[in-house]
Amino acid sequence: MNLPETGPIDPRVFDEPWQAEAFALVVHLHDRGAFTWTEWADALTGEIKAADDRGESGGGDHYYHHWLAALERLALKRGLAEPEALAMRREAWADAYRHTPHGQPVVLGA
Amino acid sequence: MAHDHHDHDHDHGQEPPSDMALRVKALESLLVEKGLVDPAALDAIIDTYEHKVGPRNGARVVARAWSDPAYLDRLRADATAAIAELGYGGRQGEHMVAVENTPEVHNLVVCTLCSCYPWSVLGLPPVWYKSSPYRSRAVIDPRGVMAEFGLTVPDEAEVRVWDSTAEIRYLVIPERPAGTEGWSEEALTELVSRDSMIGVSLARAPETGA
């Protein structure tokens, strides 16, 4: 069952930076009134339920995958972003990485 | 074999990060451009949850409740307000409810639907709290789940399971360990673990704690 991961307090809050960023985006957008917390919980619940139904949610390791999927879905539903723009922007970031020398900050349009 | 894979990236660019990281960057940068998101606010939120908010907040609430009967009364009457007295506020505006363990009643908290959790007093939830087995089994078989954490609740005690929601979050007030009479609040705080405030363990006994 793999339940307890006992020991003292988990020192690492986020496993990877993107998880922290996705977390903060939701809290911030809610603070600014982009959606209510109930709407957010519903969106997250929907993603987790779908993963549960697929047998994929498992040990909670994919929690922030669901979190990000719920955020994207809610952002699109609310018209905060458009699907095409998101896809293009994703590619633009990938390109920016490929063309930025190591050790330099990655910026769009570099 | 060693030279099978030449690096074609002659300008020594960087390997793009994971798809998840690119998706977050894409969304974030679009929202920043539209003025919907302030990057400095994002940094502040991350800093808060990585460094400032954690189970110590809840432990202070519990230690105060153990030490100050008037505070305990206020916590029972309006936990949101009593917790705010110590400077901890729920940023989602959720309503806090304190549930007290006694020899007759043991409380256990879960969020069966997702992962609602009292961030302001416990920080962000541990991985197991978000796991499918915990969410599905805590309600059906709470004693079995607690046993997996090494906690056996006496048969004569009632187990109450509280299902958190977006609106209501629960904080378990564990029983004060015996042998702590006269302890300072600060010393008591050391006995209160995160897990004891979720209900999957007890407050530490003085012999093994502190």
Side-chain angles (χ1 to χ4, degrees), chain A residues 4 31 38 63 72 97, chain B residues 14 23 25 91 115 148 167:
Chain A
D31 284 349
T38 301
Y63 179 70
E72 287 173 334
Y97 274 88
Chain B
Q14 304 178 28
R23 281 162 62 186
K25 280 191 167 299
R91 55 186 317 144
S115 55
E148 289 182 39
E167 290 87 23

Side-chain angles (χ1 to χ4, degrees), chain A residues 1 3-4 27-28 31-32 37-38 48 52 58-59 63 72 80 82 89 93 97-98 100-101 104, chain B residues 12-14 23 25 29 33-36 38 41 91-92 115 127-128 130-132 135 137 148 167 169:
Chain A
M1 199 50 75
L3 258 191
V27 171
H28 182 52
D31 284 349
R32 291 201 153 184
W37 201 253
T38 301
I48 291 176
D52 279 350
Y63 179 70
E72 287 173 334
L80 306 178
E82 298 73 38
R89 183 56 63 93
W93 273 112
Y97 274 88
R98 290 185 199 107
T100 303
Q104 291 190 16
Chain B
H12 297 284
Q14 304 178 28
R23 281 162 62 186
K25 280 191 167 299
S29 59
E33 271 172 25
K34 292 185 175 194
L36 295 169
D38 170 10
R91 55 186 317 144
Q92 283 74 45
S115 55
V127 170
W128 57 260
K130 301 177 284 195
S131 74
S132 175
R135 288 186 287 112
R137 288 185 48 223
E148 289 182 39
E167 290 87 23
R169 313 288 170 95

Side-chain angles (χ1 to χ4, degrees), chain B residues 3-188:
Chain B
H3 297 289
D4 273 0
H5 286 283
H6 282 286
D7 185 357
H8 294 288
D9 216 345
H10 293 293
D11 58 359
H12 297 284
Q14 304 178 28
E15 186 69 23
S18 70
D19 183 51
M20 306 304 292
L22 288 174
R23 281 162 62 186
V24 175
K25 280 191 167 299
L27 184 60
E28 179 179 332
S29 59
L30 281 175
L31 294 175
V32 168
E33 271 172 25
K34 292 185 175 194
L36 295 169
V37 159
D38 170 10
L42 296 179
D43 288 343
I45 291 166
I46 292 169
D47 182 54
T48 296
Y49 283 94
E50 284 191 325
H51 304 296
K52 295 177 185 156
V53 176
R56 268 198 92 72
N57 292 3
R60 290 198 190 97
V61 170
V62 171
R64 175 68 57 88
W66 284 346
S67 309
D68 180 349
Y71 183 77
L72 177 59
D73 282 343
R74 294 200 294 282
L75 193 63
R76 285 171 175 151
D78 183 347
T80 310
I83 289 167
E85 284 180 37
L86 301 191
Y88 314 133
R91 55 186 317 144
Q92 283 74 45
E94 74 271 12
H95 188 60
M96 287 293 311
V97 173
V99 288
E100 284 171 74
N101 285 351
T102 67
E104 293 79 34
V105 176
H106 183 89
N107 296 284
L108 179 69
V109 178
V110 65
C111 175
T112 55
L113 287 179
C114 50
S115 55
C116 298
Y117 190 74
W119 294 353
S120 59
V121 280
L122 295 188
L124 297 183
V127 170
W128 57 260
Y129 185 87
K130 301 177 284 195
S131 74
S132 175
Y134 184 76
R135 288 186 287 112
S136 56
R137 288 185 48 223
V139 172
I140 303 166
D141 179 23
R143 286 176 188 272
V145 167
M146 289 188 287
E148 289 182 39
F149 283 87
L151 173 62
T152 306
V153 176
D155 286 342
E156 58 273 22
E158 177 193 352
V159 173
R160 290 184 190 158
V161 182
W162 302 89
D163 194 356
S164 311
T165 67
E167 290 87 23
I168 301 184
R169 313 288 170 95
Y170 300 93
L171 178 70
V172 174
I173 308 298
E175 282 188 87
R176 180 172 177 160
T180 58
E181 293 74 17
W183 281 38
S184 69
E185 267 184 52
E186 203 178 324
L188 288 170

